């Protein structure tokens, strides 16, 4: 199998991306990795010879973090992200990874790779951290701001298949993000989606509240892109703020510094639990190929994890399975 | 002034509600407090004579936490919450407080107290905790699941006036909860609301992300009831989960227990910052009278704080000011 990696996207590109690709190439000699980007910039981070399964594919332009997504993807035809998408569409790669501009990657998925038949809106599906370190696959996390009930039902089916095929969870519990657990709660959107999800070929466990996500109250969390973004960033912001306050409290005197030294291992474990990078990248589900979004702050370790995840998805034949399931099981009001 | 208190609503009713009313009655002898509920049940928590400014108003029925709101308010005409609402509507009280069923209290506000002229949808406006202990007034937090842009613009105006009049913040910074800070971000709802808020008589600072709320990135946070609920519960859930993990880490050995003892004062401060009760109750803005929702788990201290807040609002003539401002400044697309 062959995975195209956008070497130029992300806060620590190309250095950490290239480093992660090198580690992954050595770990999985059966997998070809294609680093897409400026060859000079990429080579500057490689010492010695390239591993035989690591290829550089030139692409001289770059989509920047603040580029307007649709315009950038349309105009920058030689941007590393767009070129990687083209490799995927043309069958020269089986998957693509990027830590670059999220909006541009979703646009690349839609316009370059193409939408999967039967899917109205692709969804971005990262794993949210949970206290048991297993995580919750949540979708959509920002690909579509204005979802319809049918979209949510499709997210549910796609997320369920992904969770089973790639993460190995049998009969994943699918929950609907809502303001209360009782049926009948919520907005017009969630009320209608609830009914569709009850009839979908999934293990639907009903409504789930945002306060219980960290307890892994479900395996797949379905939400519209707007609410999902609010949830994700509220979790990030609150965890970050609490950890920062804690750090300040530990720094306040010699005695508390001693306490900090004692607590170091426990705190490190807690910090890791809140760390998104450990869960690898987020697939963009509903496009005609495996597109994985890595966190913008991805380091080499995250890139390697994303490659691991892409391999699992390819081995499990995720995309053909999704396409077949979606085609066969249309859900509508 | 006279404040009606639903003595029977809340997890710790009537005990903690009565206790809080007693403390408040002694602290503010100029304020009459009317405890509405079962006289026997109320008196069981009062030792000795009633303070002269504390009155018991009988109401023999109770709205339970799991009652269906609209039906309960319509049928249970002698429920403590409904009777308190009636006292407010009939001018026998200037404000009402309740820690009972949130949906029922909103229904009481709408059906018993009545909607304010010019307001389409009343909004529930609690204060979200921030690291500087000042908090952010957020609205709507669950009164309306399906908001229109005009509703959000009205929330913005009402929240801004409340923040200024009751909390004494001059020119409060009003932010719109959204998925990114740039204008043009978000759903159809937030995009349209953004335009209306730019033209509203408020100090609008633009979009605010959920991750920055705890840093008090604005003084008034405007959102639809669905997103607001997701935000609030995500913050609660994440802070609670992190604190619990921390507690477990502190308990793991004798040495970490020593560390816990050292850190106790700092941790207590952190826990207080996350505590909603310290910020008092949440006003239901947009009804014809001051209706304050206290947290379901309110203790005597929270009840006293809610009375303090209601006094400030009454002294500042909040309701007449709101009515005048809303009437004069209609905002529409």
């Amino acid at each position: 199998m062959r995975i195209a990696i956008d070497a130029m996207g992300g806060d620590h590109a190309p250095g950490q991306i290239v480093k992660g690709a090198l580690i992954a190439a050595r770990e999985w000699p059966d997998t070809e990795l294609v680093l897409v980007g400026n060859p000079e910039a990429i080579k500057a981070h490689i010492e010695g010879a390239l591993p035989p399964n690591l290829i550089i594919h030139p692409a001289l332009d770059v989509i920047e973090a603040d580029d307007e997504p649709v315009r950038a993807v349309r105009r920058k035809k030689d941007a590393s992200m767009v070129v990687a998408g083209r490799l995927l569409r043309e069958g020269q790669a089986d998957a693509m990874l990027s830590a670059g501009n999220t909006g541009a990657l979703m646009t690349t998925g839609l316009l370059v790779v193409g939408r999967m038949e039967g899917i109205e809106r692709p969804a971005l599906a990262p794993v949210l951290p949970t206290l048991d370190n297993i995580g919750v696959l949540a979708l959509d996390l920002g690909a579509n701001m204005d979802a319809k009930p049918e979209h949510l039902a499709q997210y549910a089916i796609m997320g369920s298949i992904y969770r089973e095929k790639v993460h190995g969870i049998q009969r994943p519990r699918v929950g609907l993000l809502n303001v209360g657990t009782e049926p009948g709660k919520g907005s017009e959107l969630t009320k209608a989606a609830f009914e569709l999800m009850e009839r979908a070929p999934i293990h639907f466990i009903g409504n789930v509240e945002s306060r219980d996500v960290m307890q892994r109250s479900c395996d797949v969390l379905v939400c519209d892109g707007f609410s999902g973004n609010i949830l994700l960033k509220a979790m990030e912001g609150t965890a970050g703020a609490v950890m920062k306050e804690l750090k300040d409290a530990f720094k306040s005197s010699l005695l508390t510094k001693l306490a900090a030294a004692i607590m170091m291992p426990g705190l490190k474990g807690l910090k890791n639990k809140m760390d998104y990078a450990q869960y690898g990248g987020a697939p963009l589900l509903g496009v005609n190929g495996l597109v994985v979004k890595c966190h913008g702050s991805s380091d080499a370790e995250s890139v390697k994890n994303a490659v691991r995840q892409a391999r699992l998805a390819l081995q499990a034949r995720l995309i053909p399975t999704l396409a077949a399931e979606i085609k066969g099981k249309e859900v509508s009001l």
Side-chain angles (χ1 to χ4, degrees), chain A residues 247-325:
Chain A
K247 216 167 158 184
D248 291 349
F250 273 123
K251 273 189 195 157
S252 65
S253 74
L254 266 178
L255 212 54
T256 60
K257 280 178 190 165
L258 171 68
I262 296 171
M263 295 304 298
M264 198 52 81
L267 290 177
K268 226 178 143 93
L270 180 56
K271 200 160 175 276
N272 283 344
K273 282 186 195 208
M274 305 295 159
D275 183 14
Y276 290 75
Q278 65 157 324
Y279 296 100
L284 180 65
L285 298 176
V287 292
N288 260 331
L290 184 63
V291 175
V292 179
K293 167 77 180 91
C294 303
H295 202 286
S297 62
S298 289
D299 59 9
E301 180 72 14
S302 330
V303 173
K304 184 194 144 194
N305 286 341
V307 171
R308 180 204 313 276
Q309 196 183 342
R311 289 182 79 251
L312 287 173
L314 291 173
Q315 283 164 349
R317 303 195 70 254
L318 175 76
I319 303 299
T321 308
L322 274 177
E325 288 281 322

Side-chain angles (χ1 to χ4, degrees), chain A residues 43-61:
Chain A
K43 281 180 192 156
H45 296 279
I46 299 175
E47 283 173 34
L50 281 181
N53 59 330
L54 190 68
I55 301 156
I56 296 175
H57 186 103
L60 296 181
D61 212 345

Side-chain angles (χ1 to χ4, degrees), chain A residues 47-101:
Chain A
E47 283 173 34
L50 281 181
N53 59 330
L54 190 68
I55 301 156
I56 296 175
H57 186 103
L60 296 181
D61 212 345
V62 175
I63 293 182
E64 307 290 347
D66 55 356
D67 272 347
E68 198 283 308
V70 177
R71 187 190 310 187
V73 171
R74 286 216 167 111
R75 296 199 182 168
K76 294 185 170 179
K77 302 218 179 285
D78 197 32
S80 54
M81 184 191 286
V82 177
V83 172
R86 216 148 50 216
L87 292 178
L88 177 55
R89 188 190 62 202
E90 293 168 357
Q92 295 182 55
D94 304 298
M96 76 165 282
L97 313 181
S98 175
N101 183 322

Side-chain angles (χ1 to χ4, degrees), chain A residues 32-301:
Chain A
E32 277 196 324
L33 299 177
V34 185
L35 275 169
V36 184
N38 184 321
E40 297 309 310
I42 292 172
K43 281 180 192 156
H45 296 279
I46 299 175
E47 283 173 34
L50 281 181
N53 59 330
L54 190 68
I55 301 156
I56 296 175
H57 186 103
L60 296 181
D61 212 345
V62 175
I63 293 182
E64 307 290 347
D66 55 356
D67 272 347
E68 198 283 308
V70 177
R71 187 190 310 187
V73 171
R74 286 216 167 111
R75 296 199 182 168
K76 294 185 170 179
K77 302 218 179 285
D78 197 32
S80 54
M81 184 191 286
V82 177
V83 172
R86 216 148 50 216
L87 292 178
L88 177 55
R89 188 190 62 202
E90 293 168 357
Q92 295 182 55
D94 304 298
M96 76 165 282
L97 313 181
S98 175
N101 183 322
T102 307
L105 184 61
M106 294 184 298
T107 306
T108 299
L110 265 177
L111 300 186
V112 181
V113 181
R115 205 160 50 186
M116 185 176 276
E117 199 190 341
I119 290 290
E120 285 188 52
R121 301 285 178 94
L124 195 63
V127 174
L128 302 183
T130 57
L131 292 179
D132 63 6
N133 282 315
I134 292 175
V136 169
L137 186 85
L139 71 174
D140 171 35
L141 259 283
N144 302 300
M145 288 300 127
D146 293 284
K148 291 183 183 149
E150 294 83 351
H151 303 155
L152 296 193
Q154 290 193 328
Y155 299 166
I157 298 171
M158 293 194 294
S160 183
I161 293 172
Y162 188 86
R163 202 73 172 136
E164 194 179 325
K165 294 281 174 192
V166 181
H167 294 160
I169 297 178
Q170 295 305 311
R171 248 187 128 232
R173 298 163 301 145
V174 182
L176 174 63
L177 182 65
N178 212 330
V179 301
T181 52
E182 309 88 340
K185 279 271 177 181
S187 61
E188 295 308 318
L189 172 66
T190 58
K191 283 180 202 168
F194 188 99
E195 286 182 30
L196 290 179
M197 287 169 72
E198 277 192 307
R199 280 147 45 195
I202 52 169
H203 177 29
F204 181 45
I205 59 159
N207 294 322
V208 167
E209 288 188 285
S210 60
R211 81 169 99 226
D212 301 322
V213 172
M214 287 197 79
Q215 319 290 341
R216 200 162 67 88
S217 52
C218 60
D219 300 303
V220 177
L221 180 67
V222 173
C223 53
D224 67 277
F226 189 88
S227 310
N229 184 290
I230 300 299
L231 168 68
L232 173 76
K233 288 181 181 163
M235 289 175 71
E236 274 184 357
T238 306
V242 173
M243 294 303 276
K244 200 201 152 285
E245 285 291 304
L246 203 60
K247 216 167 158 184
D248 291 349
F250 273 123
K251 273 189 195 157
S252 65
S253 74
L254 266 178
L255 212 54
T256 60
K257 280 178 190 165
L258 171 68
I262 296 171
M263 295 304 298
M264 198 52 81
L267 290 177
K268 226 178 143 93
L270 180 56
K271 200 160 175 276
N272 283 344
K273 282 186 195 208
M274 305 295 159
D275 183 14
Y276 290 75
Q278 65 157 324
Y279 296 100
L284 180 65
L285 298 176
V287 292
N288 260 331
L290 184 63
V291 175
V292 179
K293 167 77 180 91
C294 303
H295 202 286
S297 62
S298 289
D299 59 9
E301 180 72 14

